[in-house]
Amino acid sequence: MKLNKNFANLQESYLFSKIAKKVNSFTAENPNKKIIRLGIGDVTLPLVPVVIAAMQEAVAEMGDAKTFKGYGPEQGYSFLKENIQKYYKSRNINIVEREIFVSDGTKSDLGNILDLFDKENIALIPDPVYPVYVDTNRMAGRKIIFANATQENTFLPLPDRKVKADIIYLCSPNNPTGATYSKEQLKEWVEYALANHAIILYDAAYECFIQGKEIPRSIYEIEGAKECAIELCSFSKIAGFTGTRCAYIIVPEALIFDGMSCNKMWLRRQSTKSNGVSYIVQKGAAAVFTAAGEKQVQQNIAYYMENAKILANCMDALDIWYTGGQHSPYIWLKCPKFKDSWKFFDYLLEKANIVGTPGDGFGKNGKGYFRLTAFGDRENILEAVARLKKLVHNI
Ligand code: PLP
């Protein structure tokens, strides 16, 4: 018996445990100080009333022999997939129901989708980025090359024609940088993928935060993307499902490589390894797309985006370089005066009692940068801004 030795190549994920340790020791020494947490990228507002009502109704159905449901379709119930289809249609994107697969989360889909690809493929992953892309490929023993996201390219790397990659990860709006690709920039990636016989895994988990119509919310707004891209999206951020769990992945039928259909492979994979998502949760997710659901979730998104605007305005007032905040709940800032993100973390915690996330945790290019999140209480955001203004003037 041999274990998967690739696990030895994973870096320990110290980031959030290191942050927790530092915060715990600070609070133990300073029990009366009020800490403001702008670190973790989890939503804070509760599920909206329409979702709760739909799930309660589904619970009642499960308790009645006449309406009880056993195993559901592995790829999701039609009532939810039809709503997802309409959600795309409202943005002039035609997706057929067979291309939509419901799951328990984008994180799971990101890990599972790699079942489709040969180990010898080269993965191209932006740095900094959501660490799951790197770790899932390391576990599979796949070679990774990084696309450098830096201040020079406003943290939006574009394809380098000299580099040969097979599996390309794009995340827009991005975690952690909040940077968001324009149509022209995404067009370059689609052209690169088509020319290189490569596939794009497009993580649209934060699409709901995009304001206005110019910025694409789906890779399928770009011509040719159906022939080279899989899109992943989640109910976690749009509707606060981080603890409820529901997401979907679009695998177009036009994705054919060497005569094999990615859509058929994914259907085979899912129906072999998954029994789908709970009926109750899918009922809740479907309610997000009703008129009342849309209105209610939009109110929550608007609340977070107002928080983001308050943080972004604070960066402008302090003349701190940053990305994000405009189409994203994340503000990615250049640490004022500090070159080391952890030193800035300590300084911020000690002097202003604010917790953020050091950029190094998301890749080597995150060094010297820092992530603040707009998920949280308005009152706390306003207090954090007041503290930041006082602090930065004194550095
Ligand atoms: N993709 C990105 C870029 C994320 O930042 C996150 C969570 O923070 C996820 C996916 C996870 O989504 P889910 O909750 O659906 O697993």
Side-chain angles (χ1 to χ4, degrees), residues 41 104-108 110 130 133 171 173-175 203 205-206 233-237 241-242 245-247 330:
D104 71 339
T106 293
K107 197 181 205 179
S108 322
L110 283 164
Y130 183 48
Y133 311 156
C171 178
N174 187 277
N175 177 16
D203 187 339
Y206 296 90
C233 201
S234 170
F235 290 91
S236 283
K237 310 293 154 125
F241 271 51
T242 51
R245 313 304 303 142
C246 199
Y330 297 127

Side-chain angles (χ1 to χ4, degrees), residues 12-309:
E12 274 309 321
S13 168
Y14 292 123
L15 183 66
F16 289 106
S17 58
K18 189 169 164 184
I19 291 174
K21 220 185 238 171
K22 279 176 179 278
V23 175
N24 288 345
S25 85
F26 181 82
T27 34
E29 282 165 30
N30 304 277
N32 299 324
K33 296 247 162 93
K34 183 189 161 198
I35 305 269
I36 300 179
R37 292 167 200 272
L38 303 180
I40 295 185
D42 198 355
V43 292
T44 49
L45 293 169
L47 295 176
V48 298
V50 205
V51 166
I52 294 295
M55 290 206 287
Q56 278 169 339
E57 209 175 289
V59 169
E61 281 180 64
M62 293 301 257
D64 183 335
K66 291 197 283 301
T67 46
F68 169 77
K69 304 268 183 303
Y71 289 124
E74 291 99 346
Q75 60 273 44
Y77 281 99
S78 275
F79 63 76
L80 175 54
K81 290 192 292 176
E82 277 165 15
N83 283 6
I84 294 168
Q85 194 181 13
K86 280 189 210 136
Y87 184 56
Y88 276 87
K89 186 78 195 151
S90 70
R91 291 176 270 149
N92 293 322
I93 299 166
N94 293 314
I95 304 280
V96 296
E97 212 187 299
R98 285 186 304 278
E99 296 176 319
I100 304 167
F101 297 82
V102 176
S103 77
D104 71 339
T106 293
K107 197 181 205 179
S108 322
D109 283 337
L110 283 164
N112 296 337
I113 196 73
L114 294 182
D115 276 7
L116 265 50
F117 308 118
D118 191 281
K119 180 180 160 286
E120 297 308 315
N121 287 306
I122 297 172
L124 178 66
I125 303 180
D127 174 335
V129 89
Y130 183 48
V132 172
Y133 311 156
V134 173
D135 286 349
T136 48
N137 279 287
R138 289 231 165 99
M139 284 177 191
R142 196 167 282 115
K143 184 177 169 196
I144 299 172
I145 47 180
F146 290 99
N148 286 316
T150 60
Q151 200 167 333
E152 286 67 47
N153 59 25
T154 53
F155 287 91
L156 291 168
L158 289 172
D160 177 349
R161 310 270 159 186
K162 297 188 291 298
V163 170
K164 171 82 187 87
D166 304 301
I167 305 171
I168 300 156
Y169 285 81
L170 297 178
C171 178
S172 178
N174 187 277
N175 177 16
T177 68
T180 309
Y181 279 114
S182 69
K183 260 192 189 136
E184 290 65 37
Q185 290 169 322
L186 282 186
K187 204 163 156 259
E188 285 198 41
W189 279 112
V190 168
E191 281 168 4
Y192 171 90
L194 290 171
N196 281 280
H197 199 62
I199 198 160
I200 293 173
L201 299 181
Y202 191 78
D203 187 339
Y206 296 90
E207 58 80 25
C208 58
F209 297 102
I210 291 176
Q211 312 289 306
K213 290 211 183 331
E214 282 108 77
I215 305 280
R217 289 169 60 176
S218 163
I219 187 87
Y220 304 124
E221 290 180 41
I222 312 301
E223 213 186 311
K226 287 251 185 83
E227 282 87 59
C228 67
I230 287 174
E231 181 157 296
L232 304 102
C233 201
S234 170
F235 290 91
S236 283
K237 310 293 154 125
I238 188 173
F241 271 51
T242 51
T244 307
R245 313 304 303 142
C246 199
Y248 53 93
I249 179 166
I250 313 288
V251 187
E253 291 187 312
L255 274 181
I256 311 274
F257 291 84
D258 303 326
M260 287 177 85
S261 153
C262 290
N263 180 280
K264 287 213 175 91
M265 286 170 75
W266 185 242
L267 175 62
R268 189 73 172 86
R269 192 263 171 223
Q270 288 302 81
S271 45
T272 303
K273 295 194 184 180
S274 163
N275 263 328
V277 177
S278 122
Y279 173 72
I280 299 160
V281 168
Q282 291 193 61
K283 273 287 179 183
V288 170
F289 299 114
T290 59
E294 265 176 34
K295 199 167 156 210
Q296 291 174 8
V297 297
Q298 281 311 321
Q299 273 169 2
N300 287 0
I301 290 168
Y303 182 86
Y304 294 135
M305 290 315 287
E306 181 61 25
N307 285 350
K309 198 167 157 199

